[in-house]
Amino acid sequence: RQIYELRDNEFGSSVQIVPSRGATAVSFNVKGREVFYLEDNDIFKSGGNPLMFPYANRIRNGIFTDLQGNIVDLKGVEGTKLDGQSNVIHGMVRYAPWYAKHVCTDDTGAFAIFTLHSEKFDNMRKYFGLFEIAIAYQLSANKLIITTFVENHNERALMMSMAYHPWFNTPDRAQWFIKIPASKVCEAVGQLPTGILLDVSNTKYDWKKWTLIGANTYDDVLTELQFKNGQAGSLLYSPQERLAIRVIQ
């Protein structure tokens, strides 16, 4: 298990990335505070900030129609995972081994780039074609910047979706506040989106202002973010911990 660590010794921050676990950042520590949650402190269990690709959400019964009109069935395919309800979920790269391409430091911080080529994975190549995906990590003070690049090596369009799945370390979660500048929520039945977008106004999903999480549990997709100067920022805040976590897209 090789772990790459980027450090900002002057500020007191670090991030740890595991190439063999989907090039996932499993730890982001700022002045002794751990930002990510990792179940049982085991890098191969849930936690960190895994990338979901080439599909981010659930695929009903593991079956979809590709851009060429072919029926694709991913059930039972090595590299996929079921959600307990016969749907495949969260892509095929989270537990695949990635290659550490470049690690360096300069005046702006510490950097590391990891890559994955689908040609080395039979099922990715078979069902999604030829592509290369790269994750670039940059650590500077209390900021972790993650940039993702995808190159399509096919002669046809690459069918894909992509998202990160951060697990944040939120002790006493009910006392945390959330703020997300989204105006729509995806309607879902059995956690499968219907394709209908609903307005969040006057609903439990209207988080444009600070909202206490309390005893609520959410597993939903919000969209149509409000961007300012090309960025949209979502926040978690704990008055007790005196800690704020800001995610900028």
Side-chain angles (χ1 to χ4, degrees):
R1 299 181 183 181
Q2 190 172 25
I3 299 177
Y4 285 75
E5 184 174 60
L6 306 179
R7 301 187 65 87
D8 185 327
N9 291 323
E10 184 175 348
F11 190 84
S13 60
S14 65
V15 59
Q16 294 182 340
I17 304 115
V18 184
S20 61
R21 205 271 209 189
T24 298
V26 296
S27 171
F28 177 31
N29 194 288
V30 180
K31 294 186 181 297
R33 291 180 180 265
E34 180 56 54
V35 176
F36 291 143
Y37 166 83
L38 189 63
E39 183 180 352
D40 297 330
N41 202 33
D42 187 331
I43 62 174
F44 289 102
K45 290 188 176 182
S46 296
N49 185 39
L51 173 67
M52 302 180 294
F53 182 89
Y55 50 89
N57 206 331
R58 292 166 172 81
I59 299 177
R60 187 187 305 275
N61 296 320
I63 299 173
F64 68 94
T65 303
D66 68 16
L67 297 175
Q68 288 70 47
N70 303 308
I71 303 298
V72 179
D73 189 346
L74 294 177
K75 286 182 298 184
V77 172
E78 184 179 0
T80 64
K81 179 182 178 181
L82 295 176
D83 67 349
Q85 300 181 42
S86 299
N87 308 306
V88 296
I89 186 173
H90 291 175
M92 302 174 72
V93 303
R94 288 184 303 152
Y95 297 100
W98 291 53
Y99 168 69
K101 184 177 182 179
H102 188 62
V103 180
C104 71
T105 60
D106 64 18
D107 292 340
T108 63
F111 301 82
I113 299 176
F114 302 88
T115 62
L116 179 146
H117 295 261
S118 66
E119 63 182 11
K120 298 182 179 180
F121 300 89
D122 292 342
N123 289 328
M124 289 188 208
R125 182 178 68 252
K126 177 180 178 180
Y127 295 106
F128 293 93
L130 295 172
F131 61 82
E132 178 183 0
I133 183 167
I135 303 176
Y137 292 95
Q138 177 186 358
L139 176 68
S140 180
N142 63 347
K143 296 179 181 179
L144 175 60
I145 301 171
I146 304 174
T147 308
T148 314
F149 307 87
V150 180
E151 289 186 1
N152 181 12
H153 295 173
N154 303 290
E155 294 183 356
R156 63 181 188 274
L158 173 64
M159 188 172 188
M160 54 154 278
S161 64
M162 177 176 64
Y164 282 92
H165 193 308
W167 296 70
F168 291 122
N169 182 26
T170 54
D172 199 5
R173 184 178 65 90
Q175 302 302 316
W176 283 68
F177 289 80
I178 190 170
K179 187 177 182 182
I180 300 177
S183 59
K184 302 286 185 181
V185 61
C186 297
E187 181 186 68
V189 177
Q191 295 184 304
L192 290 163
T194 66
I196 298 174
L197 298 181
L198 305 175
D199 196 298
V200 301
S201 299
N202 301 316
T203 73
K204 64 179 182 179
Y205 301 108
D206 192 353
W207 300 331
K208 292 188 289 294
K209 296 182 179 180
W210 287 112
T211 303
L212 182 67
I213 294 177
N216 299 305
T217 298
Y218 302 99
D219 192 355
D220 302 277
V221 178
L222 278 75
T223 187
E224 295 200 8
L225 299 176
Q226 298 171 2
F227 285 81
K228 293 182 179 180
N229 300 319
Q231 295 182 339
S234 302
L235 294 108
L236 283 166
Y237 174 65
S238 169
Q240 289 183 333
E241 295 290 322
R242 298 179 64 186
L243 177 65
I245 301 172
R246 188 180 186 191
V247 179
I248 300 175
Q249 297 171 251

